[in-house]
Structure formats: C-alpha cells, structure tokens
Amino acid sequence: MDPYRQGQPGAPPYPSYPHMQYAPPQPYMHNIGFSGAPQSFGMPQPYAGMQHPTPYPQGYPPQPGYPAQGAGYPSQPSPYPTQPGYPQAAPQPQAYPGYPQGENPYESQQSSNQYAPPPQMAYGQPTQPSHAIKKPRPTVVPADPFNPRADAEVLRKAMKGFGTDEKSIIRVLSSRSNAQRLNIAFEFKTLYGKDLDEDLQSECTGHFEEVVLALMTPLPQYYAKELHKAISQMGTDEDTLIEVLCTMSNHEIGIIQDTYASMYRTSLVDDISGDTSGSFRRLLMSLCCANRNESYDIDADRARTDAQALLRAGELRLGTDESTFNAVLCQRSFSQLAATFREYESVTGHPFEKAIKNEFSGDIKDGLLAIVKSVTSRAEFFAERLHKSMAGLGTTDHQLIRIIVTRSEVDMEDIKEAFEAKYGKSLQSWIEGDTSGHYKKCLLALIGCYKP
C-alpha cells in the first residue's frame, strides 16, 4: 500500500466501477476507459460525481491485480474526471454546476438496463457555476439493450470450426463497453467452460490480437502491464511513463501502483527509480507520491506568486532551478495551474510552454509539457500522441492501440476533432494509411469510422 495514502480517513469499501459503491471487483466484472476533461477557457473542468447501485452479481473472489477490500484512498474530490474501471474515492456531496439545489440533471436519463454504466459526468467552470455544461464525447458507448449470453454465443460461433469470423468479433467487441465485454466473457465461461481471452488469443493474430486482448483487460491491469513493459524492456520507454503518470489523478496513480505491486511483486516507484535518472526521475517520483492538490478553488494571489517564482527559476536567471518547476507543476491543482499559466503569459507576453521549451530538454521537457498540455487541452495532447505514433517511417503500434482503446469510451470524438484541426487530415485517413486488414478495421470501428 502506498504510504502516502494508507490509513487516510474516509476510505470507502473497494468498488469496481466509478461512482458506485458495492462489493470488491469480480472476474470479468470490471470496466476500463479513461476520461479527459473537455477544455473551456484553457482550464480542466470539474465534474459532479454520482452514485448508483451495483448492476453486477455478487460473491465472486477478488480479481487478481486489485488491492484488497477496505484499502484506503484519498477522500478529497478530484478535478480530474475519473476513468471507468477505477475504484472511486469516498464520494463528496456537491451541487451540480448550473442546476439549483444540487439537482442531478442526469437522474432522469438513467437506463433500466442492469449492465449500463453510470451516465456521463457533467463539467462546469471551476471558478463559478456554469450553465454551459460540456461532456466528453466517446465513440464507444454501452449497448442498450444488452444481452451478454447472446453475444457470447455469437463469439463462440465466430471461432468454432474451420476459420474465424473476424467481422463478427469486431462487431461485438467494438460496440460494447468494457464492462459489457467482461460480462460477455463471464457468460462465455459459464456456457462453454472456456476462457474467452484464451479463445480470442488462439483465433486472432498480430496487432489485431493485441487490440482484442487490450479490449478485454481491466484498465488498472492494462496500464500496469504497459508500465512494466516500458521499464523492463531493453532501454526505457519514457513516452509511456509520461503518457500515463503525467495525465492521471492521485487516485488513479494510487490504484495503478497497488495493481502493479500485486501483479509483479515489486514497487512501481522502485522500478521507475532504478530505470530513470536526474530531473526526469525526480519528476516521476513526485507524481508517484500522488499528492497533487485537487480542489476546484483558484487562489489568484498564489497564481501570481507561482508565476513570479517560475519566472525567477527559469528565464530570469542563468541556468534553471528545476526543483521550482517540479514543485509547482506536481503540487498545484489543474485549475490553479491554468490560472498560473495565464498569469505567466500576461507578465512575459508568451505562453508558459515556450519557457519550458527554452529552459529544458529531453525527457524532463517532454514530461513537463505533458502536464501543461493536460491542463490546457487534453484532447490535443492525445491527438499529438496519436500523430507521433504514425508519423515518419513505421508505426508505433502499441502506442496507437493503447490510446484508441483507452480513450474510445471517453473522449475520442474530441480527440478526432483536435487531430484534424491540428494536422489538416482526419484521424481515419491516417489510420487507413498506416494499418491494414482486420487490425485496421477494428481500430476504425473503435473510433466510430467503420461498421462491420
């Protein structure tokens, strides 16, 4: 257990789905996804949390790779929208921005489908209530109506006998949420006594197999695997470390650390510390502490003070005081950082990003820029990551797969829009030019550009 979070008051029973409180995670009963707040006025938006009763069966043993029931997590609300698949910290009573007396604007929209996830969360301006509530736009939404047994039968038929019906596999898996896919896997084993993952692995090949297996993995386990691969391979995949640790909330980082320790019997902090060095290692160590202030409040005086401190630590001195940049960017809330960046630009006449590019280089520069971009436009950050995975000679397939799988249930429509605005061509056209076969069709289906 992370010593920074152990024993904190208000720790809830361990739930397996955001904004719900119920039994520990069950086999095939987890959801994955990851949410990035849509941006307005250059600031990440807070959300209004919700609670719903569990839709899942009870009484199954805990899923390997998850912390034990009763593990403590930070009780403060987070300005980050929580990913589907992460256990939710202790709920905090709060009003829905723009609605009187805390009225839930989505209560009437709740589905009667027992497998449906909670409604999308509302987003409002951190500094004051706003009637203009914008939600992230996913490309994969839960199927309604949903019949997991019928889907299990379709998948069994697609893999039984000679040959494989890849089209049916893509049609089912790309049009169900991860929670629904894992319910399908549970029904599959109930009906046929076989693991759906194993059958899919034996019937699919290459990058298509990689996408399919990623779709069937709970998010904390998936990210733990990606981080372990980034550290344990020859050399270090710094891009993966940056993408994961620089964009997540305290709660999500803590869950990944617990999952990593359970899966690999070693500490994520120790593994990262042994595989990185210098200012970049100190940045990652600070992020692993999961101690960012996550309140919604903005302190204008603090923003001015931090902007001046960053200016003195960088552009107004010979050399750079990296510790000041590290302390501000790893401690302040995203709302507070947005105010600091605006104050910095008003004083210097240029964006804070330019200061980082002038003062830093290498991995530490990339890490700090990832934090800044997460504050100003998370959709654009992931659009840049997708472009980088396909630009130049060859394709970084594992990065392309990871982003599309994890963002498809969150804000892929926003990412597609940001991609085309920045690069002048659609994400669909880039994927079609860089991939082929069933792998290409599955990716296109996940971004809403192909219907099998």
Side-chain angles (χ1 to χ4, degrees):
M1 172 63 65
D2 186 342
Y4 289 93
R5 296 175 296 102
Q6 189 172 17
Q8 292 198 12
Y14 187 91
S16 64
Y17 204 85
H19 316 297
M20 301 182 181
Q21 300 286 342
Y22 47 79
Q26 317 300 338
Y28 308 117
M29 296 297 162
H30 306 282
N31 187 24
I32 64 173
F34 189 80
S35 53
Q39 305 303 320
S40 176
F41 306 104
M43 303 169 64
Q45 310 298 307
Y47 63 90
M50 306 177 200
Q51 288 187 336
H52 302 270
T54 173
Y56 301 129
Q58 306 295 316
Y60 298 99
Q63 175 79 8
Y66 282 79
Q69 184 174 15
Y73 298 106
S75 59
Q76 68 270 26
S78 169
Y80 304 75
T82 304
Q83 288 232 51
Y86 278 98
Q88 175 66 16
Q92 303 292 323
Q94 55 179 280
Y96 290 84
Y99 289 85
Q101 300 179 355
E103 177 186 353
N104 183 346
Y106 298 100
E107 192 169 29
S108 62
Q109 301 175 14
Q110 295 179 16
S111 170
S112 60
N113 181 356
Q114 64 171 335
Y115 295 101
Q120 287 286 351
M121 295 163 285
Y123 294 84
Q125 181 70 8
T127 53
Q128 59 185 359
S130 170
H131 291 274
I133 298 177
K134 182 180 178 183
K135 296 186 295 181
R137 298 173 296 163
T139 52
V140 174
V141 296
D144 186 11
F146 171 55
N147 186 336
R149 178 157 297 196
D151 287 343
E153 292 170 353
V154 170
L155 291 175
R156 171 64 172 169
K157 183 178 179 181
M159 295 182 287
K160 186 178 180 180
F162 182 74
T164 305
D165 182 3
E166 290 88 353
K167 186 175 181 179
S168 293
I169 294 175
I170 295 172
R171 183 175 64 253
V172 172
L173 298 186
S174 67
S175 60
R176 307 290 186 268
S177 69
N178 187 256
Q180 292 177 334
R181 296 182 204 117
L182 299 174
N183 272 281
I184 294 168
F186 185 77
E187 291 292 338
F188 191 94
K189 190 163 188 175
T190 301
L191 290 172
Y192 308 113
K194 303 174 68 177
D195 286 329
L196 178 57
D197 288 9
E198 293 179 2
D199 275 16
L200 289 170
Q201 189 171 8
S202 66
E203 295 293 330
C204 305
T205 59
H207 296 308
F208 177 52
E209 174 191 343
E210 188 177 346
V211 177
V212 166
L213 294 180
L215 290 170
M216 299 300 299
T217 307
L219 186 62
Q221 292 184 14
Y222 181 67
Y223 269 116
K225 290 177 182 178
E226 290 292 293
L227 289 171
H228 186 261
K229 183 167 59 178
I231 298 168
S232 61
Q233 65 184 8
M234 184 69 69
T236 305
D237 181 2
E238 292 86 2
D239 280 353
T240 298
L241 299 179
I242 290 169
E243 181 188 314
V244 176
L245 295 177
C246 292
T247 62
M248 290 190 170
S249 70
N250 296 338
H251 188 58
E252 290 160 348
I253 291 173
I255 294 299
I256 289 176
Q257 289 191 73
D258 291 337
T259 304
Y260 188 98
S262 179
M263 291 174 69
Y264 300 108
R265 306 300 178 188
T266 183
S267 164
L268 175 61
V269 171
D270 290 344
D271 283 358
I272 291 177
S273 179
D275 224 49
T276 56
S277 61
S279 299
F280 182 56
R281 175 170 62 188
R282 290 192 289 274
L283 174 68
L284 298 182
M285 292 299 98
S286 294
L287 293 170
C288 284
C289 288
N291 197 33
R292 183 184 297 281
N293 183 330
E294 294 186 334
S295 71
Y296 305 148
D297 298 331
I298 295 176
D299 185 334
D301 292 336
R302 171 66 69 182
R304 284 190 291 272
T305 300
D306 285 346
Q308 293 166 4
L310 291 168
L311 189 57
R312 289 193 299 269
E315 296 185 87
L316 293 184
R317 62 173 289 168
L318 183 64
T320 306
D321 179 8
E322 294 91 349
S323 62
T324 299
F325 283 80
N326 194 87
V328 173
L329 268 65
C330 293
Q331 285 190 81
R332 305 291 185 253
S333 71
F334 274 20
S335 299
Q336 185 68 34
L337 285 177
T340 300
F341 299 161
R342 290 197 302 273
E343 188 69 32
Y344 191 97
E345 184 170 358
S346 71
V347 172
T348 63
H350 59 75
F352 183 64
E353 285 186 51
K354 183 177 180 181
I356 292 179
K357 292 175 182 177
N358 290 339
E359 296 295 323
F360 296 90
S361 62
D363 297 325
I364 180 63
K365 179 186 75 174
D366 294 339
L368 294 175
L369 287 175
I371 296 174
V372 174
K373 187 64 72 174
S374 292
V375 172
T376 58
S377 176
R378 186 162 298 182
E380 185 175 335
F381 169 76
F382 283 105
E384 291 173 354
R385 299 282 298 174
L386 286 170
H387 181 264
K388 183 178 179 181
S389 71
M390 294 181 283
L393 185 63
T395 304
T396 310
D397 294 284
H398 70 275
Q399 180 174 307
L400 176 63
I401 292 168
R402 181 175 63 245
I403 295 173
I404 289 181
V405 167
T406 58
R407 307 305 297 187
S408 60
E409 291 185 56
V410 184
D411 59 353
M412 184 53 68
E413 287 289 356
D414 301 311
I415 294 171
K416 286 162 57 180
E417 188 176 281
F419 189 98
E420 187 162 2
K422 188 173 182 66
Y423 300 108
K425 292 183 66 177
S426 68
L427 177 59
Q428 176 183 354
S429 65
W430 274 78
I431 292 175
E432 288 174 342
D434 261 55
T435 60
S436 61
H438 299 296
Y439 172 42
K440 176 181 70 176
K441 293 176 181 178
C442 192
L443 293 181
L444 292 176
L446 288 171
I447 68 168
C449 296
Y450 171 73
K451 291 187 178 181

